[in-house]
Amino acid sequence: MENGNGGSLFADALKQFDRAADLMNLDDGMRQVLKSHKREITVNFPVKMDDGSIRVFTGYRFQHNIARGPAKGGIRYHQNVNADEIKTLSFLMTWKCAIAGIPYGGAKGGVKVNPNELSEGELERLSRRFFSEIAPFIGTETDIPAPDVNTNSKIMAWYMDTYSMNVGRSELGIVTGKPVELGGSLGRNEATGRGVAIVADEACKYFLTGGGVKGRTVAIQGFGNVGSYTALILGTEYGAKVVAISDITGAYYNPEGINVKEAFDYVTTHKDLKGFNGGKIISNDELLALNVEILIPAALERSITDKNADKVRAKLVIEAANNPVTPEADEILRKKGISIVPDFLTNSGGVVVSYFEWVQGLYSYFWDLEDVRKALTKVMKNSFADIIKTMEQYKTDMRTGAYILAISKVANATKLRGIYP
Ligand code: NAD
């Protein structure tokens, strides 16, 4: 996919990787290993549509690195899905799991489809056929998918059932993000947003004067799974003042603070924010340029680019979406003295609770919500502190510090295992 600057998303990610690899003097052989994907799978598969016609869809599953454990990563359904995007996201998953200290490597999958154009039956047939196509490379101990953009617990249940039917037993550990009734974990739905809130609080304490996120002004772009839970938890549990929220239908601004519970309930009922009257309507561009302390992009890739980075006035950008800031924008923000908390730390709460779900499934012993939240908070705070330590040691920015920490963990695992044969 073009990144608007003539290159691909993966080329962007490699630039950030190389910045860290240069600082840590990573040797060429290890660089080659860590920049390469272990496996890149593309499948073209037919689906019978309701009107009797047949449509062929394209799907992907990329496995980047499995030195630290089985591959792990979500599957998204979106009309813009392409190999470059899935390649980049699987690369990011390796670093995300390493930072969090969970025993997984990186993977990602996707199907190029607009799921809103499909009936329920078509969506189910597409999901079951796609999972069958990639099943030879998926397994409880080899590669464990999860939900991502436009996929959810219902689709995970179809995946789990499809796989289980074929192996002749219920395989709970084959995917995470399942419904709680089918071995899903309590706290999985809110996990990414909760992780973002924990990281935002830690980041305020470290980068700004005056303590945590309590009482600070926040603008959030995107009000899907990640954005809505981030807003809800920041506003109701951490006492932050969320003054602006947005989704694909528009942005809503209230300098007195949006009632985030009302907005969350509105979206639960109406699916999106269209018609929400808890704030003045502004554009998404205006939201990004608001005079707030914290800006949280939680929509899709590349929302902050060299075209609009100069307008950002927040002191702290917390990357809740994957790749929301291009390398060019990253440089502009850093020059303006804005601190950026990188995506593969900020949004790792989802994969951390996915890991808890996998462990619970393997043992068939399930935790209560408070235990899940407590364990998640511990992982997020430890990851934050570990990155800050590395960042200070190398006198660099937080993203590069996070890469250095993650790369050293994966490189060490690779060295300890040795190169086979
Ligand atoms: P989602 O589909 O539930 O929500 C996306 C939101 O962004 C929606 O509210 C949508 O309306 C909004 N949006 C889309 N285009 C927009 C635009 N141009 N301007 C403003 N808003 C826009 O997706 P999600 O699960 O919340 O994921 C969001 C991001 O977080 C993605 O980058 C995803 O890869 C990443 N992420 C998600 C999880 C997770 O557990 N869901 C975990 C890690 C990372």
Side-chain angles (χ1 to χ4, degrees):
M1 182 190 280
E2 287 288 309
N3 66 358
N5 302 303
S8 73
L9 265 184
F10 190 55
D12 279 359
L14 287 183
K15 266 187 221 161
Q16 293 168 336
F17 172 94
D18 276 330
R19 208 175 131 84
D22 288 346
L23 263 181
M24 62 198 290
N25 288 321
L26 192 71
D27 70 71
D28 274 353
M30 190 58 79
R31 259 185 223 234
Q32 277 182 54
V33 172
L34 300 186
K35 283 173 152 187
S36 308
H37 282 65
K38 176 185 170 56
R39 200 175 261 146
E40 306 180 3
I41 303 157
T42 303
V43 292
N44 298 302
F45 59 95
V47 176
K48 224 183 255 172
M49 308 307 281
D50 288 348
D51 64 2
S53 66
I54 291 170
R55 261 181 79 186
V56 173
F57 293 88
T58 301
Y60 306 93
R61 185 71 182 168
F62 277 47
Q63 296 163 351
H64 171 243
N65 184 291
I66 54 161
R68 297 181 60 264
K72 183 90 187 86
I75 292 176
R76 60 170 57 182
Y77 291 172
H78 196 277
Q79 57 277 18
N80 296 339
V81 159
N82 61 81
D84 181 61
E85 174 190 63
I86 300 301
K87 190 170 185 173
T88 312
L89 293 168
S90 59
F91 182 74
L92 279 181
M93 282 305 296
T94 298
W95 316 123
K96 197 181 289 190
C97 294
I99 291 285
I102 54 177
Y104 290 137
K108 199 81 182 187
V111 178
K112 186 174 171 55
V113 59
N114 179 353
N116 299 321
E117 290 173 358
L118 302 184
S119 70
E120 179 87 353
E122 290 167 344
L123 184 69
E124 179 171 355
R125 291 194 291 281
L126 174 137
S127 299
R128 288 184 182 275
R129 178 64 189 247
F130 172 62
F131 208 71
S132 304
E133 294 284 344
I134 61 170
F137 307 99
I138 302 292
T140 300
E141 266 136 36
T142 48
D143 183 359
I144 306 124
D148 192 66
V149 175
N150 290 329
T151 55
N152 52 26
S153 58
K154 181 174 69 182
I155 294 174
M156 296 307 116
W158 290 333
Y159 287 163
M160 193 275 270
D161 182 68
T162 300
Y163 192 88
S164 299
M165 286 295 120
N166 281 290
V167 295
R169 59 175 185 277
S170 281
E171 195 83 354
L172 287 188
I174 193 68
V175 288
T176 57
K178 299 181 293 297
V180 172
E181 300 85 337
L182 277 181
S185 178
L186 292 171
R188 174 62 183 85
N189 273 348
E190 63 168 38
T192 308
R194 180 167 294 280
V196 177
I198 296 165
V199 164
D201 194 46
E202 295 298 296
C204 287
K205 288 183 211 157
Y206 182 81
F207 288 109
L208 310 178
T209 50
V213 74
K214 189 170 180 197
R216 295 190 193 272
T217 49
V218 184
I220 302 174
Q221 184 198 42
F223 212 72
N225 173 277
V226 180
S228 64
Y229 275 110
T230 299
L232 182 71
I233 294 167
L234 275 178
T236 59
E237 295 183 34
Y238 282 82
K241 191 169 170 187
V242 178
V243 294
I245 55 175
S246 76
D247 68 6
I248 192 79
T249 69
Y252 305 81
Y253 173 57
N254 182 347
E256 302 308 316
I258 302 261
N259 183 331
V260 288
K261 174 81 173 70
E262 229 169 73
F264 187 90
D265 291 344
Y266 189 90
V267 163
T268 309
T269 316
H270 296 87
K271 276 183 125 176
D272 56 39
L273 285 167
K274 196 176 167 66
F276 176 66
N277 61 9
K280 178 179 142 207
I281 295 177
I282 58 171
S283 70
N284 258 298
D285 286 345
E286 286 172 309
L287 177 141
L288 294 176
L290 281 176
N291 189 11
V292 288
E293 288 176 281
I294 302 153
L295 176 63
I296 306 185
L300 294 175
E301 295 77 27
R302 299 190 318 274
S303 50
I304 304 177
T305 67
D306 54 351
K307 310 272 185 306
N308 59 9
D310 209 30
K311 301 200 179 79
V312 173
R313 288 191 282 168
K315 295 182 192 136
L316 206 51
V317 172
I318 314 255
E319 294 184 332
N322 284 313
N323 293 306
V325 177
T326 65
E328 295 75 19
D330 189 288
E331 207 175 316
I332 297 169
L333 296 180
R334 276 189 281 121
K335 279 196 183 134
K336 287 176 65 154
I338 298 170
S339 304
I340 307 166
V341 184
D343 47 8
F344 58 93
L345 164 69
T346 308
N347 65 31
S348 62
V351 74
V352 170
V353 176
S354 269
Y355 166 61
F356 298 159
E357 177 177 332
W358 184 68
V359 170
Q360 293 171 74
L362 292 180
Y363 281 85
S364 284
Y365 176 74
F366 292 88
W367 311 354
D368 62 35
L369 183 58
E370 281 320 302
D371 287 342
V372 172
R373 287 179 173 168
K374 212 166 127 193
L376 172 66
T377 305
K378 189 171 163 192
V379 172
M380 299 305 300
K381 285 188 174 181
N382 285 347
S383 306
F384 186 91
D386 289 347
I387 294 173
I388 293 295
K389 214 163 118 193
T390 313
M391 178 185 103
E392 288 177 350
Q393 186 189 338
Y394 282 85
K395 299 187 173 46
T396 185
D397 58 281
M398 196 168 180
R399 188 192 314 281
T400 309
Y403 260 116
I404 292 174
L405 180 64
I407 291 170
S408 57
K409 285 189 183 190
V410 182
N412 275 342
T414 306
K415 276 189 201 134
L416 287 168
R417 288 175 72 140
I419 303 292
Y420 178 84

